[in-house]
Amino acid sequence: MKQFNNLYIYMRVFNYVGKNIRRTPYQALAATMIMFLTFLTLLMFLLVALGSQKILQYFESKPQVIAFFKDNTTQQDVDLIENSLNQTGKVKSLRYISKEEAFQIYKDLNSAQPEMYEVVTSNMLPSSLEVSTNTLTDLNYINDVLSKEPAVRSVGFPKDVVQNVLESTSLVRWVGGIIVGFLIVFSVLIILMIIGFKIRIKRNEIEIMRLLGASTWFVRAPFIWEGITYATVGAATAWIGSYIVIWYFTPFLQPKLSEIPGILPVSPLIMLQLLLVVLTSAMIIGFIGSFSAVRRYLK
Amino acid sequence: MSQSIVKFENISKKYGSTLAISDVNLEVEAGEFVFLVGPSGAGKSTLLRLVAKEYAPSSGKILVFDKDIADIKSGQLPFYRRKLGFVFQDFKLLDDRTVFENVAIALEVRGHSDVEIVKEVEKILKLFEIWPKRNLFPNQLSGGEAQRTAIARAIIGKPDILLADEPTGDLDPQTSWGVIQLLNEINSWGTTVLMATHNVEIVNTLKRRVISVRDGKIIRDKKEGKYEIH
């Protein structure tokens, strides 16, 4: 019997939440819209962060430092350099390109213009070593190591591109993190204010319910669930909004990012994972905001 | 021999530096109808609120159902309050709920099912002759109808003690008599009634136990008393 009573109490709590929301629709709308804005920003930031991560991975998968050898370099010299690079622990892959292979690559690149390679022989092109590092931040170190090798004539290192990618992703993370952090705090405070306001205007009702023998939980739970409802509804609509934004912009962005695999179109699995992330975050934000209000105003 | 249901032992209550109740000793037996009379600010409402454990006494001990209510933990307080019923001068009905919903809330907080609530509320509203008004809101009711609704809400949970704080204070004499007859009937079912009032006519006509309070002290306690506050 007690279990049934508990069930009725739970059902009644959700019934009260529905009534509270219906009776103050403008406050409910304002709270949900703030949550929508917060979670839309969060989702956009997460999508940009995931995209920039893919771009980083793409650059990291490419040979990023190319050491061009002097003509008299022997295979033993190359082996020694490869060993010393492997010992740094920063190298993901190494690929030696002989003069003949370099000539073949040159020919392939200029296949449409035979006059470009008719006068060129394999001897004219240097052999080289292509190095990929584990992270882009290791590139400077590898560049320094290779530059000091006597067998190396020059080192090709797209320093500006790497620097730009690193700075951009770092900026995205910092600015996005600060904006999202600010919006999360703002959302918690908005929920705290709205629920606090509702507690104040329902003071009479709360007093009566307590005198009638309502448990502390029964009095508090509808307010807490109300805050959670605003946050989760806001998060869910923001997720739908972000999906629409992605769907709209994918045809424009896809050709520009076609070189980078796995970035567009965004996988539905990733979107589902993001939905889980924002719904969980929303429940936490809603709970913190409304619980703080209940603790503060319902003593 | 009747059993004591409420017992005050040397109770004092201070609000800041103001002494509202001073060294009160009082015993109410189960099934009694007790009037608390006295001028405004005498301490009548404070006595009722102390029984409800809305306040803790500054000193002394209050025994209700033979248990010191100071020992009731906050988690157990709702269960204690379910044994009490409350009626107020200003009715304290919820303006955004109908008569039916105002009465139903007393059972909702206890976890009764919807079927039980509908059955019980219908029964009590018919008994109190306010069933036809069940879909009206408090501001659409007369004073008497509002107080009947409030009393229905107070007793639907079948409390052992009914605490009524000037329930006829805002009502005309005729309506007041209707409310008193209702409280009298509730008392006849076995519910102990503690009622604070200024209504001389009612107190003198009913000839029930009358406790006179003045300046926070009990100055008179008579079994078939009259309204005397001096």
Side-chain angles (χ1 to χ4, degrees), chain B residues 4 25 68 117 208 216:
Chain B
S4 165
N25 286 286
D68 186 349
I117 290 172
R208 295 301 191 110

Side-chain angles (χ1 to χ4, degrees), chain A residues 212-231:
Chain A
L212 291 171
S215 65
T216 306
W217 177 85
F218 186 80
V219 174
R220 287 180 169 189
F223 293 109
I224 292 172
W225 277 107
E226 193 178 337
I228 291 173
T229 304
Y230 293 144

Side-chain angles (χ1 to χ4, degrees), chain A residues 233-251:
Chain A
V233 170
T237 46
W239 181 79
I240 294 167
S242 69
Y243 220 146
I244 292 170
V245 170
I246 289 167
W247 171 77
Y248 183 79
F249 283 105
T250 295

Side-chain angles (χ1 to χ4, degrees), chain A residues 132-188:
Chain A
S132 290
T133 53
N134 291 322
T135 64
L136 287 177
T137 47
D138 294 332
L139 285 177
N140 272 320
Y141 179 79
I142 298 298
N143 177 49
D144 290 346
V145 170
L146 286 170
S147 301
K148 286 172 190 162
E149 287 292 338
V152 173
R153 187 169 65 188
S154 63
V155 179
F157 169 42
K159 197 170 183 176
D160 289 345
V161 175
V162 168
Q163 201 61 32
N164 283 342
V165 171
L166 279 173
E167 281 175 6
S168 304
T169 50
S170 175
L171 190 71
V172 165
R173 283 172 188 168
W174 273 102
V175 173
I178 289 167
I179 292 171
V180 169
F182 174 80
L183 283 171
I184 285 172
V185 173
F186 186 56
S187 304
V188 168

Side-chain angles (χ1 to χ4, degrees), chain A residues 1 4-6 8-9 11-12 15-16 19 23 202 204-216 218, chain B residues 52 54 74 78 81-82 86 88 92-94 96-97 101 105-114 116-117 153:
Chain A
M1 191 64 193
F4 282 118
N5 279 6
N6 288 341
Y8 292 128
I9 291 258
M11 283 161 57
R12 208 140 280 139
N15 192 12
Y16 279 20
K19 274 185 188 169
R23 281 171 184 167
K202 282 180 168 283
N204 192 29
E205 183 173 338
I206 292 163
E207 185 197 340
I208 291 165
M209 284 171 75
R210 281 181 166 163
L211 284 174
L212 291 171
S215 65
T216 306
F218 186 80
Chain B
E54 277 195 75
S74 60
R81 293 239 174 101
R82 288 175 196 179
F86 301 90
F88 305 92
K92 291 205 188 299
L93 295 174
L94 303 174
D96 58 351
R97 290 177 197 239
E101 289 167 338
I105 194 173
L107 298 181
E108 286 178 1
V109 302
R110 294 161 197 239
H112 286 251
S113 71
D114 288 347
E116 284 172 330
I117 290 172
R153 183 184 64 189

